[in-house]
Amino acid sequence: MKRIYFLPIVFAIAFIFQACEKDTPEDTPQLYMDEVFTSVTKTTVTYSDTFGFEMDIYSAFGDTETNRPVVILAHGGGFFAGTKENPAMIRLAENLAKRGYVAASITYHLASGFAEMLDSNRATALVMKAIGDGRAAIRYMRKSAANGNVFGINPDKIFIAGNSAGAVIALHVGFFDAQDNLTPRLDSIMNANGGFEGFSGNDGYSSAVSGAVNMAGGIVRLSLIDSDDAPVISFHGVDDDVVPANCDDVFTGATGGLDVVNLCGSIPIHNKATSMSINSKLNTYPGGHVPWVDAIGEGNELFDEVEQKSFEFLYENL
């Protein structure tokens, strides 16, 4: 008889343990890592009154958090094309919002056409302006937090991410500090375009970031990378002939090697960053420029991996 009574008790205990296993943290979606929300709202605001530049701010419908991390997104297009409605940026913004982030896809200064980007001085000035726009967008979010915090953000956790030209912006925002030394030529161009912070508005707030996501970008000088700079994750096609994976001129595939602007891409950036004890992650792929998007800017299957690794990077740096 004792065995008869014992067996039901064993089964009951087993059932309780099984039920508990289903409720373990491993089975519960993790905020800022997994999709927690299903619907996303978009709000368009003007972040630069000076130039009328807008950004689309994405957040999850029904998210009641008031201290959410932010990711500023900058589209690609060679600094002469592209919009904040770029399909890959929309997809990334929506997937970030579903994980609890506030994501903002920005517009920024663009050249009148590709020919303008073949003039070294004009191209450098244009990129300086765009970097200033990225900084102004970050300052706008901090300004909003200080004035009612309508977007429910954590002003101490703002990241920046970009694809191609947008990644050039993200890298310079992450690595370029006011105390960094530039060549006299670069210093002169920067000062003519609003100085370190640029002239796109929202003065009085910091443009510092907690990390940068670099999708096929480059930096003008490796010496800008210091030990106190933001962590970075990089993605690059090893045969990129638009923005080099190593150090070379940009647009070599289109210009046949014309000396335009020299940038150092993700491989030397990662090597320099790790030598400075910066948290840096490098992901290289076969192929050329931005192999994770198609001809119209839609993210492909490789973009799934780029997104997932970016989510993991952001989460670990919260």
PDB file of all heavy atoms in Angstrom, residues 131-149:
ATOM      1  N   ILE A 131      28.216  64.495 -40.045  1.00  0.00           N
ATOM      2  CA  ILE A 131      28.592  64.067 -38.689  1.00  0.00           C
ATOM      3  C   ILE A 131      27.973  65.012 -37.665  1.00  0.00           C
ATOM      4  O   ILE A 131      27.451  64.578 -36.627  1.00  0.00           O
ATOM      5  CB  ILE A 131      30.126  64.017 -38.542  1.00  0.00           C
ATOM      6  CG1 ILE A 131      30.715  62.941 -39.451  1.00  0.00           C
ATOM      7  CG2 ILE A 131      30.523  63.766 -37.084  1.00  0.00           C
ATOM      8  CD1 ILE A 131      32.224  63.000 -39.585  1.00  0.00           C
ATOM      9  N   GLY A 132      27.998  66.311 -37.967  1.00  0.00           N
ATOM     10  CA  GLY A 132      27.347  67.282 -37.090  1.00  0.00           C
ATOM     11  C   GLY A 132      25.857  67.038 -36.972  1.00  0.00           C
ATOM     12  O   GLY A 132      25.265  67.233 -35.904  1.00  0.00           O
ATOM     13  N   ASP A 133      25.232  66.587 -38.062  1.00  0.00           N
ATOM     14  CA  ASP A 133      23.799  66.256 -38.013  1.00  0.00           C
ATOM     15  C   ASP A 133      23.549  65.081 -37.066  1.00  0.00           C
ATOM     16  O   ASP A 133      22.595  65.090 -36.280  1.00  0.00           O
ATOM     17  CB  ASP A 133      23.290  65.900 -39.414  1.00  0.00           C
ATOM     18  CG  ASP A 133      23.411  67.046 -40.396  1.00  0.00           C
ATOM     19  OD1 ASP A 133      23.365  68.211 -39.967  1.00  0.00           O
ATOM     20  OD2 ASP A 133      23.540  66.775 -41.605  1.00  0.00           O
ATOM     21  N   GLY A 134      24.413  64.061 -37.168  1.00  0.00           N
ATOM     22  CA  GLY A 134      24.268  62.917 -36.265  1.00  0.00           C
ATOM     23  C   GLY A 134      24.391  63.330 -34.816  1.00  0.00           C
ATOM     24  O   GLY A 134      23.627  62.876 -33.950  1.00  0.00           O
ATOM     25  N   ARG A 135      25.323  64.219 -34.540  1.00  0.00           N
ATOM     26  CA  ARG A 135      25.488  64.713 -33.165  1.00  0.00           C
ATOM     27  C   ARG A 135      24.256  65.508 -32.724  1.00  0.00           C
ATOM     28  O   ARG A 135      23.815  65.404 -31.571  1.00  0.00           O
ATOM     29  CB  ARG A 135      26.745  65.573 -33.067  1.00  0.00           C
ATOM     30  CG  ARG A 135      28.047  64.811 -33.270  1.00  0.00           C
ATOM     31  CD  ARG A 135      29.250  65.678 -32.921  1.00  0.00           C
ATOM     32  NE  ARG A 135      30.506  65.011 -33.220  1.00  0.00           N
ATOM     33  CZ  ARG A 135      31.075  64.085 -32.453  1.00  0.00           C
ATOM     34  NH1 ARG A 135      30.484  63.712 -31.336  1.00  0.00           N
ATOM     35  NH2 ARG A 135      32.223  63.533 -32.799  1.00  0.00           N
ATOM     36  N   ALA A 136      23.712  66.311 -33.621  1.00  0.00           N
ATOM     37  CA  ALA A 136      22.530  67.109 -33.284  1.00  0.00           C
ATOM     38  C   ALA A 136      21.330  66.221 -32.976  1.00  0.00           C
ATOM     39  O   ALA A 136      20.510  66.543 -32.109  1.00  0.00           O
ATOM     40  CB  ALA A 136      22.200  68.073 -34.417  1.00  0.00           C
ATOM     41  N   ALA A 137      21.206  65.103 -33.709  1.00  0.00           N
ATOM     42  CA  ALA A 137      20.111  64.166 -33.449  1.00  0.00           C
ATOM     43  C   ALA A 137      20.233  63.558 -32.055  1.00  0.00           C
ATOM     44  O   ALA A 137      19.229  63.393 -31.338  1.00  0.00           O
ATOM     45  CB  ALA A 137      20.111  63.066 -34.507  1.00  0.00           C
ATOM     46  N   ILE A 138      21.449  63.237 -31.647  1.00  0.00           N
ATOM     47  CA  ILE A 138      21.683  62.708 -30.293  1.00  0.00           C
ATOM     48  C   ILE A 138      21.335  63.772 -29.258  1.00  0.00           C
ATOM     49  O   ILE A 138      20.661  63.489 -28.256  1.00  0.00           O
ATOM     50  CB  ILE A 138      23.151  62.263 -30.151  1.00  0.00           C
ATOM     51  CG1 ILE A 138      23.427  61.071 -31.068  1.00  0.00           C
ATOM     52  CG2 ILE A 138      23.481  61.915 -28.697  1.00  0.00           C
ATOM     53  CD1 ILE A 138      24.893  60.795 -31.298  1.00  0.00           C
ATOM     54  N   ARG A 139      21.776  64.994 -29.509  1.00  0.00           N
ATOM     55  CA  ARG A 139      21.477  66.088 -28.568  1.00  0.00           C
ATOM     56  C   ARG A 139      19.976  66.338 -28.490  1.00  0.00           C
ATOM     57  O   ARG A 139      19.449  66.659 -27.410  1.00  0.00           O
ATOM     58  CB  ARG A 139      22.213  67.365 -28.986  1.00  0.00           C
ATOM     59  CG  ARG A 139      23.720  67.279 -28.860  1.00  0.00           C
ATOM     60  CD  ARG A 139      24.368  68.657 -28.923  1.00  0.00           C
ATOM     61  NE  ARG A 139      24.099  69.345 -30.167  1.00  0.00           N
ATOM     62  CZ  ARG A 139      24.860  69.248 -31.266  1.00  0.00           C
ATOM     63  NH1 ARG A 139      25.944  68.481 -31.249  1.00  0.00           N
ATOM     64  NH2 ARG A 139      24.554  69.913 -32.363  1.00  0.00           N
ATOM     65  N   TYR A 140      19.274  66.180 -29.608  1.00  0.00           N
ATOM     66  CA  TYR A 140      17.820  66.369 -29.595  1.00  0.00           C
ATOM     67  C   TYR A 140      17.155  65.393 -28.627  1.00  0.00           C
ATOM     68  O   TYR A 140      16.251  65.770 -27.871  1.00  0.00           O
ATOM     69  CB  TYR A 140      17.246  66.166 -30.998  1.00  0.00           C
ATOM     70  CG  TYR A 140      15.730  66.250 -31.035  1.00  0.00           C
ATOM     71  CD1 TYR A 140      15.091  67.463 -31.206  1.00  0.00           C
ATOM     72  CD2 TYR A 140      14.942  65.100 -30.858  1.00  0.00           C
ATOM     73  CE1 TYR A 140      13.699  67.542 -31.203  1.00  0.00           C
ATOM     74  CE2 TYR A 140      13.562  65.165 -30.856  1.00  0.00           C
ATOM     75  CZ  TYR A 140      12.948  66.389 -31.038  1.00  0.00           C
ATOM     76  OH  TYR A 140      11.571  66.471 -31.030  1.00  0.00           O
ATOM     77  N   MET A 141      17.594  64.135 -28.644  1.00  0.00           N
ATOM     78  CA  MET A 141      16.997  63.146 -27.754  1.00  0.00           C
ATOM     79  C   MET A 141      17.275  63.496 -26.297  1.00  0.00           C
ATOM     80  O   MET A 141      16.382  63.367 -25.436  1.00  0.00           O
ATOM     81  CB  MET A 141      17.517  61.752 -28.080  1.00  0.00           C
ATOM     82  CG  MET A 141      17.160  61.249 -29.482  1.00  0.00           C
ATOM     83  SD  MET A 141      15.398  61.313 -29.874  1.00  0.00           S
ATOM     84  CE  MET A 141      14.728  60.105 -28.733  1.00  0.00           C
ATOM     85  N   ARG A 142      18.466  63.969 -26.003  1.00  0.00           N
ATOM     86  CA  ARG A 142      18.768  64.372 -24.618  1.00  0.00           C
ATOM     87  C   ARG A 142      17.979  65.633 -24.240  1.00  0.00           C
ATOM     88  O   ARG A 142      17.529  65.773 -23.100  1.00  0.00           O
ATOM     89  CB  ARG A 142      20.271  64.596 -24.455  1.00  0.00           C
ATOM     90  CG  ARG A 142      21.070  63.307 -24.481  1.00  0.00           C
ATOM     91  CD  ARG A 142      22.440  63.439 -23.860  1.00  0.00           C
ATOM     92  NE  ARG A 142      23.009  62.111 -23.634  1.00  0.00           N
ATOM     93  CZ  ARG A 142      23.880  61.514 -24.442  1.00  0.00           C
ATOM     94  NH1 ARG A 142      24.333  62.164 -25.516  1.00  0.00           N
ATOM     95  NH2 ARG A 142      24.333  60.302 -24.180  1.00  0.00           N
ATOM     96  N   LYS A 143      17.826  66.534 -25.187  1.00  0.00           N
ATOM     97  CA  LYS A 143      17.027  67.740 -24.941  1.00  0.00           C
ATOM     98  C   LYS A 143      15.584  67.367 -24.650  1.00  0.00           C
ATOM     99  O   LYS A 143      14.959  67.923 -23.733  1.00  0.00           O
ATOM    100  CB  LYS A 143      17.119  68.657 -26.159  1.00  0.00           C
ATOM    101  CG  LYS A 143      16.349  69.958 -26.029  1.00  0.00           C
ATOM    102  CD  LYS A 143      16.529  70.796 -27.296  1.00  0.00           C
ATOM    103  CE  LYS A 143      15.744  72.096 -27.229  1.00  0.00           C
ATOM    104  NZ  LYS A 143      15.925  72.898 -28.475  1.00  0.00           N
ATOM    105  N   SER A 144      15.049  66.403 -25.395  1.00  0.00           N
ATOM    106  CA  SER A 144      13.668  65.973 -25.169  1.00  0.00           C
ATOM    107  C   SER A 144      13.521  65.329 -23.790  1.00  0.00           C
ATOM    108  O   SER A 144      12.495  65.486 -23.121  1.00  0.00           O
ATOM    109  CB  SER A 144      13.218  64.992 -26.258  1.00  0.00           C
ATOM    110  OG  SER A 144      13.815  63.711 -26.094  1.00  0.00           O
ATOM    111  N   ALA A 145      14.549  64.583 -23.369  1.00  0.00           N
ATOM    112  CA  ALA A 145      14.498  63.950 -22.049  1.00  0.00           C
ATOM    113  C   ALA A 145      14.506  64.987 -20.941  1.00  0.00           C
ATOM    114  O   ALA A 145      13.880  64.798 -19.885  1.00  0.00           O
ATOM    115  CB  ALA A 145      15.675  62.992 -21.882  1.00  0.00           C
ATOM    116  N   ALA A 146      15.211  66.095 -21.171  1.00  0.00           N
ATOM    117  CA  ALA A 146      15.296  67.147 -20.155  1.00  0.00           C
ATOM    118  C   ALA A 146      14.058  68.041 -20.140  1.00  0.00           C
ATOM    119  O   ALA A 146      13.879  68.825 -19.206  1.00  0.00           O
ATOM    120  CB  ALA A 146      16.535  68.003 -20.402  1.00  0.00           C
ATOM    121  N   ASN A 147      13.212  67.903 -21.150  1.00  0.00           N
ATOM    122  CA  ASN A 147      12.030  68.760 -21.258  1.00  0.00           C
ATOM    123  C   ASN A 147      10.755  67.926 -21.364  1.00  0.00           C
ATOM    124  O   ASN A 147       9.996  68.011 -22.330  1.00  0.00           O
ATOM    125  CB  ASN A 147      12.163  69.681 -22.469  1.00  0.00           C
ATOM    126  CG  ASN A 147      13.242  70.726 -22.305  1.00  0.00           C
ATOM    127  OD1 ASN A 147      13.027  71.789 -21.734  1.00  0.00           O
ATOM    128  ND2 ASN A 147      14.441  70.418 -22.803  1.00  0.00           N
ATOM    129  N   GLY A 148      10.536  67.098 -20.343  1.00  0.00           N
ATOM    130  CA  GLY A 148       9.317  66.307 -20.258  1.00  0.00           C
ATOM    131  C   GLY A 148       9.475  64.846 -20.617  1.00  0.00           C
ATOM    132  O   GLY A 148       8.622  64.025 -20.299  1.00  0.00           O
ATOM    133  N   ASN A 149      10.555  64.500 -21.330  1.00  0.00           N
ATOM    134  CA  ASN A 149      10.848  63.110 -21.698  1.00  0.00           C
ATOM    135  C   ASN A 149       9.648  62.426 -22.344  1.00  0.00           C
ATOM    136  O   ASN A 149       9.231  61.330 -21.958  1.00  0.00           O
ATOM    137  CB  ASN A 149      11.320  62.312 -20.481  1.00  0.00           C
ATOM    138  CG  ASN A 149      12.116  61.072 -20.880  1.00  0.00           C
ATOM    139  OD1 ASN A 149      12.513  60.910 -22.028  1.00  0.00           O
ATOM    140  ND2 ASN A 149      12.353  60.193 -19.912  1.00  0.00           N
TER     141      ASN A 149
END
